[in-house]
Amino acid sequence: MAAMTLPAVAWAVPMDKAQRLQVAVQKSGRLTDHCLDLLARCGLKSSRGKDQLLCFGENMPLDVLLVRDDDIPDLVREDVCDLGIVGGNVLEERRLACLAAGIGPLFEVLQPLDFGRCRLSIAVPEGCAWAGPQSLTGLRIATTYPYLTEQYLHQHGVQAQIMTLSGAVEIAPRLGRAEAICDLVSTGGTLRANHLTEVATIFESQALLIRTPVPLSPDKEAWLQRILMRIDGVQQVKESKYIMLHAPRSALPEIRRLLPGSEYPTIVPLEGTTEKVAVHAVCRENVFWETLEALKAAGASALLVLPVEKMLP
Ligand code: PRP
Ligand code: ZN
């Protein structure tokens, strides 16, 4: 039997956009795994065939479209997708470009997602003198972020030439195409490998959840609100721990003071003693060994720290 050929664009298959939320996510890159993990933690079970660009939500009316990150702002702005998860760097660059071109209405930022942190920075070849933004005067700056770079130069009153490239910015100085670059830095590995030094940060970025400027149907809006609440819950439990310990009643004020980020601990009587109680508390911060040691020194015993999986305020 002849092998079946899949259509080139798998998500050209009609989807029920009227009923289902469509969320655009980077198809392969630094945000992809974090995005899919976040959606899974929000309860989404989706099926995705190998190489397919659409994940169909099986237990929620929500589908994930895997696309190029640079396409996400426009997919959402044009209401092709209801939602998108995209780096603040990509979004801000596109926002400035739209403003310059008089394009609107734009996408709307719903929530920062606390992953995919990186920065857009100016870098120069190792050994080059740097005495502030003025050092860029008259230089050629290679970048894939011309609007953000232009904004920085403008803010500092610097005249320089922006060389807009579509990629491989870090090798532009070696090729003699530029004297400086403005590029994304995460670990700094790419800069080091190319003998470049980061001299100024012009934009701090993290992943953002964005939505279409077009109002959603009541059903879709209700689902969006549920998802936002779940994202909130996911973000809250990230650092949260459930802590249980035994404590003498007399030590309770000190122990409450020591419990990191917990407002109202539960105090439970212990069978067979009136002096000691059990204390249970959700700590909104990580609980370190130092904290446990301090609690023990204050009289606590039988200390137990557990991870928190889900939380609804
Ligand atoms: C950025 C940037 C560098 C690299 C820096 O590209 O252009 O190549 O990441 O990361 P590092 O400091 O950890 O070495 P990215 O992978 O985001 O690809 P894109 O800009 O083409 O989407
Ligand atoms: Zn990209």
Side-chain angles (χ1 to χ4, degrees):
M1 198 175 89
M4 219 167 66
T5 27
L6 284 168
V9 183
W11 50 274
V13 175
M15 292 170 301
D16 194 2
K17 183 162 185 302
Q19 308 291 329
R20 304 177 61 81
L21 286 165
Q22 313 290 317
V23 51
V25 158
Q26 185 182 29
K27 125 181 110 198
S28 64
R30 70 178 81 230
L31 299 184
T32 310
D33 288 348
H34 287 287
C35 292
L36 297 177
D37 182 60
L38 174 68
L39 293 169
R41 281 171 190 268
C42 287
L44 180 71
K45 290 198 179 14
S46 59
S47 48
R48 176 192 181 187
K50 201 165 176 278
D51 290 339
Q52 279 188 355
L53 301 178
L54 170 76
C55 300
F56 179 81
E58 288 166 355
N59 60 340
M60 290 188 203
L62 179 132
D63 302 322
V64 183
L65 273 79
L66 295 153
V67 298
R68 251 169 45 94
D69 64 344
D70 308 75
D71 293 337
I72 295 174
D74 281 341
L75 285 171
V76 174
R77 183 180 61 74
E78 291 167 8
D79 195 43
V80 177
C81 294
D82 307 292
L83 303 171
I85 299 178
V86 64
N89 52 307
V90 171
L91 194 75
E92 184 61 9
E93 178 70 14
R94 192 59 198 139
R95 193 184 70 85
L96 294 174
C98 286
L99 286 182
I103 295 170
L106 297 177
F107 26 73
E108 193 185 307
V109 176
L110 290 172
Q111 204 158 332
L113 296 175
D114 199 31
F115 60 79
R117 285 183 194 276
C118 56
R119 54 197 187 272
L120 190 63
S121 290
I122 304 282
V124 296
E126 280 169 12
C128 283
W130 176 259
Q134 298 302 328
S135 299
L136 293 169
T137 304
L139 302 186
R140 293 169 302 169
I141 308 169
T143 189
T144 54
Y145 297 85
Y147 286 91
L148 278 160
T149 307
E150 170 58 33
Q151 188 184 53
Y152 172 78
L153 294 176
H154 184 80
Q155 280 164 358
H156 291 89
V158 174
Q159 299 284 336
Q161 191 188 340
I162 295 172
M163 312 285 294
T164 305
L165 305 182
S166 56
V169 164
E170 60 274 8
I171 60 169
R174 253 189 301 157
L175 297 178
R177 299 182 74 188
E179 289 76 35
I181 69 165
C182 179
D183 200 12
L184 221 54
V185 183
S186 173
T187 60
T190 303
L191 291 187
R192 272 194 298 280
N194 289 281
H195 303 285
L196 297 164
T197 308
E198 187 177 1
V199 289
T201 296
I202 75 168
F203 189 81
E204 297 272 1
S205 180
Q206 63 171 301
L208 304 172
L209 178 68
I210 58 171
R211 65 163 286 165
T212 166
V214 177
L216 297 171
S217 70
D219 281 358
K220 283 170 70 170
E221 182 62 39
W223 263 102
L224 172 59
Q225 293 310 319
R226 276 178 89 170
I227 291 161
L228 286 174
M229 205 185 291
R230 291 182 187 188
I231 290 176
D232 231 34
V234 170
Q235 288 185 327
Q236 287 197 30
V237 299
K238 243 190 209 168
E239 292 274 285
S240 293
K241 297 283 181 254
Y242 194 77
I243 183 162
M244 300 196 282
L245 54 87
H246 290 177
R249 281 189 181 277
S250 58
L252 281 179
E254 175 65 357
I255 282 174
R256 283 190 66 166
R257 197 186 61 76
L258 286 169
L259 286 174
S262 71
E263 280 154 67
Y264 304 109
T266 307
I267 311 290
V268 193
L270 286 171
E271 191 64 26
T273 169
T274 50
E275 268 139 60
K276 278 191 172 188
V277 289
V279 179
H280 292 191
V282 173
C283 296
R284 300 291 174 100
E285 300 159 34
N286 209 344
V287 179
F288 296 102
W289 281 111
E290 288 74 9
T291 310
L292 294 184
E293 287 157 4
L295 287 164
K296 199 163 174 60
S301 57
L303 292 116
L304 204 56
V305 181
L306 305 169
V308 175
E309 185 171 303
K310 291 190 176 67
M311 193 188 277
L312 267 189

